[in-house]
């Protein structure tokens, strides 16, 4: 019998959704669990495919926790735990910037707002093309590190609704691997959109539900899962398969709906994030085939990357062939959430 959650979908509001994964104990940030219940349980929305946490966690609880500094991460440029992983992360951020630049070329003096700017890595990359970096970041130490690294710009330490920025001030709004940690990502995306100029673009990456459901199945549910955990642990940490601070893990449909609810229009979307090595190559190939044959419905990669803008009328350049995973043959993302849903079925 499938257990149903009493919590509604955090993106589309759908109810009576099944619980699909659970791990305990919940991971800690310093000495507190990410979810106050002490376990991490996920629900899959039957309407939009979103994977969301089955928890009574509040916005205040999350913000308090996320503002706490972790001593071992001080002095790094990202939140990665080793220097090698930090190098990989920086090259991924560089790739993201290359895609964004092909959609909207930067001019000297353009301004960037990086939401969840961490220790300033992405702002530092954009700065090399004459773009002025700014950020929003909850961790006070990361704020200081960013300002020192950039030598200019403003990093607001606190909720975006209180940030000292003007409407339409930015030509680029970005947020990489951050919205999944937030209580209300639609509202935050709306706020970033309000700060964006008419000809500006927003680029976001969030974790993919298809990938994490597969990962949970292969490490927890299939007959050889015990062998997999022992011999091929990948990036599992302390026996955890899931990432316990993700409030939402997005399907292509739930990401599309989130963008539309924020009053934005999708211009580009693609699965990204398979890292190097043999498994990465196989993963990229499978992801490409699934993306193609599912008509851009299944994102079998760690993350979903998208670029959106405010206006349907504004003309953006078509991204040409890019390194990594560029599966977008057509100019525009095909259809709204409702159109996609009726064409593809639920999810
Ligand atoms: Zn939903």
């Amino acid at each position: 019998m499938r257990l149903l959650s009493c919590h509604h979908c955090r993106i589309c509001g759908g109810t009576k959704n099944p619980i699909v994964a659970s791990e305990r104990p919940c991971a800690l940030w310093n000495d507190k669990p990410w979810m106050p219940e002490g376990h991490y349980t996920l629900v899959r929305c039957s309407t939009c495919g979103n994977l969301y946490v089955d928890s009574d966690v509040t916005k205040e609880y999350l913000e308090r926790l996320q503002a706490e500094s972790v001593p071992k991460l001080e002095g790094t440029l990202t939140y990665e735990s080793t220097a090698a992983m930090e190098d990989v992360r920086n090259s991924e951020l560089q790739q993201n910037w290359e895609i964004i630049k092909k959609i909207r070329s930067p001019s000297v003096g353009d301004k960037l707002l990086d939401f969840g700017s961490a220790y300033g890595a992405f702002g530092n990359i954009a700065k090399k093309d004459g773009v002025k970096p700014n950020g929003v970041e909850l961790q006070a130490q990361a704020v200081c590190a960013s300002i020192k690294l950039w030598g200019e710009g403003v990093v607001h330490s606190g909720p975006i609704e209180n940030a000292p920025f003007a409407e339409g001030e930015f030509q680029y709004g970005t947020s990489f691997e951050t919205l999944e940690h937030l209580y209300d990502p639609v509202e935050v995306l709306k706020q970033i959109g309000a700060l964006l100029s008419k000809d500006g673009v927003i680029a976001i990456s969030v974790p993919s539900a298809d990938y994490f459901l597969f990962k949970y199945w292969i490490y927890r549910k299939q007959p050889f899962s015990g062998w997999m955990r022992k011999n091929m642990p990948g990036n599992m940490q302390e026996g955890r398969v899931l990432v316990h601070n993700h409030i939402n893990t997005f399907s292509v449909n739930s990401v599309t709906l989130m963008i539309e609810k924020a009053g934005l229009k999708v211009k580009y979307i693609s699965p990204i994030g398979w890292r190097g090595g043999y498994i990465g190559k196989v993963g990229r190939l499978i992801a490409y085939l699934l993306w193609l044959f599912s008509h851009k419905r299944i994102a079998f990669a760690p993350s979903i990357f998208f670029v959106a803008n405010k206006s349907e009328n504004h003309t953006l350049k078509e991204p040409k062939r890019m390194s990594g995973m560029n599966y977008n043959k057509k100019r525009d993302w095909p259809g709204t959430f409702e159109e996609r849903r009726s064409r593809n079925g639920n999810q």
Side-chain angles (χ1 to χ4, degrees), residues 259-305:
I259 297 163
E260 287 165 9
K261 279 186 156 186
L264 301 165
K265 184 173 167 55
V266 184
K267 302 304 292 182
Y268 172 91
I269 191 162
S270 181
I272 59 162
W274 281 106
R275 292 188 168 181
Y278 175 70
I279 290 178
K281 276 185 189 160
V282 173
R284 264 191 293 278
L285 176 64
I286 295 171
Y288 172 73
L289 294 172
L290 285 173
W291 188 241
L292 203 65
F293 291 114
S294 69
H295 300 284
K296 301 180 179 177
R297 179 181 162 198
I298 298 173
F300 183 69
S303 298
I304 300 171
F305 177 83

Side-chain angles (χ1 to χ4, degrees), residues 180-218:
E180 66 273 19
H181 303 295
L182 305 181
Y183 188 81
D184 189 351
V186 173
E187 186 52 36
V188 169
L189 200 50
K190 226 183 257 179
Q191 302 266 359
I192 300 173
L195 299 174
L196 198 71
S197 65
K198 264 189 184 165
D199 66 339
V201 291
I202 288 184
I204 307 276
S205 70
V206 287
S208 163
D210 298 319
Y211 170 85
F212 276 94
L213 280 175
F214 175 77
K215 188 177 174 190
Y216 188 77
W217 174 80
I218 207 161

Side-chain angles (χ1 to χ4, degrees), residues 8-14 17 44-50 52 254 257 337:
H8 57 74
C9 173
R10 291 163 186 270
I11 301 299
C12 80
N17 293 313
R44 171 82 149 167
C45 177
S46 311
T47 305
C48 73
N50 194 49
Y52 62 96
S254 72
L257 182 59
F337 171 71

Side-chain angles (χ1 to χ4, degrees), residues 221-292:
K221 292 290 180 188
Q222 50 94 8
F224 304 102
S225 55
W227 184 91
M228 285 289 298
R229 287 198 301 276
K230 190 174 171 206
N231 297 294
M232 295 182 73
N235 59 359
M236 280 174 61
Q237 290 174 351
E238 295 168 16
R240 293 188 296 273
V241 173
L242 303 168
V243 185
H244 292 188
N245 56 9
H246 289 180
I247 309 303
N248 292 289
T249 303
F250 294 85
S251 66
V252 176
N253 269 348
S254 72
V255 105
T256 309
L257 182 59
M258 172 175 71
I259 297 163
E260 287 165 9
K261 279 186 156 186
L264 301 165
K265 184 173 167 55
V266 184
K267 302 304 292 182
Y268 172 91
I269 191 162
S270 181
I272 59 162
W274 281 106
R275 292 188 168 181
Y278 175 70
I279 290 178
K281 276 185 189 160
V282 173
R284 264 191 293 278
L285 176 64
I286 295 171
Y288 172 73
L289 294 172
L290 285 173
W291 188 241
L292 203 65

Side-chain angles (χ1 to χ4, degrees), residues 26-34 61 64-74 139 141 238 240 245:
C26 188
L28 305 178
W29 185 247
N30 285 333
D31 58 347
K32 296 184 197 68
W34 278 105
Y61 182 88
R64 231 181 5 253
L65 211 59
Q66 287 163 355
E68 280 188 26
S69 167
V70 174
K72 70 176 180 185
L73 294 177
E74 286 168 22
Q139 293 228 351
Q141 260 136 355
E238 295 168 16
R240 293 188 296 273
N245 56 9

Side-chain angles (χ1 to χ4, degrees), residues 79-190:
Y79 288 124
E80 299 288 355
S81 53
T82 66
M85 282 168 73
E86 188 170 286
D87 285 347
V88 173
R89 183 75 193 125
N90 278 322
S91 86
E92 287 170 350
L93 291 173
Q94 180 72 50
Q95 273 186 12
N96 291 354
W97 178 235
E98 295 305 321
I99 296 175
I100 298 165
K101 279 201 293 184
K102 283 174 180 162
I103 294 173
R104 187 195 183 281
S105 307
S107 305
V108 173
D110 279 349
K111 292 173 85 173
L112 160 76
L113 176 63
D114 189 23
F115 180 86
S117 49
Y119 290 81
F122 185 73
N124 208 36
I125 290 167
K127 192 181 167 203
K128 291 176 186 137
D129 283 305
V131 175
K132 293 179 180 301
N134 294 270
V136 173
E137 172 58 46
L138 283 179
Q139 293 228 351
Q141 260 136 355
V143 172
C144 298
S146 305
I147 292 171
K148 200 170 159 193
L149 181 71
W150 299 340
E152 61 175 320
V154 173
V155 183
H156 173 67
S157 177
I160 189 169
E161 51 267 32
N162 304 331
F165 302 124
E167 276 190 20
E169 184 175 346
F170 297 98
Q171 287 67 49
Y172 296 98
T174 54
S175 185
F176 302 122
E177 309 301 314
T178 303
L179 293 192
E180 66 273 19
H181 303 295
L182 305 181
Y183 188 81
D184 189 351
V186 173
E187 186 52 36
V188 169
L189 200 50
K190 226 183 257 179

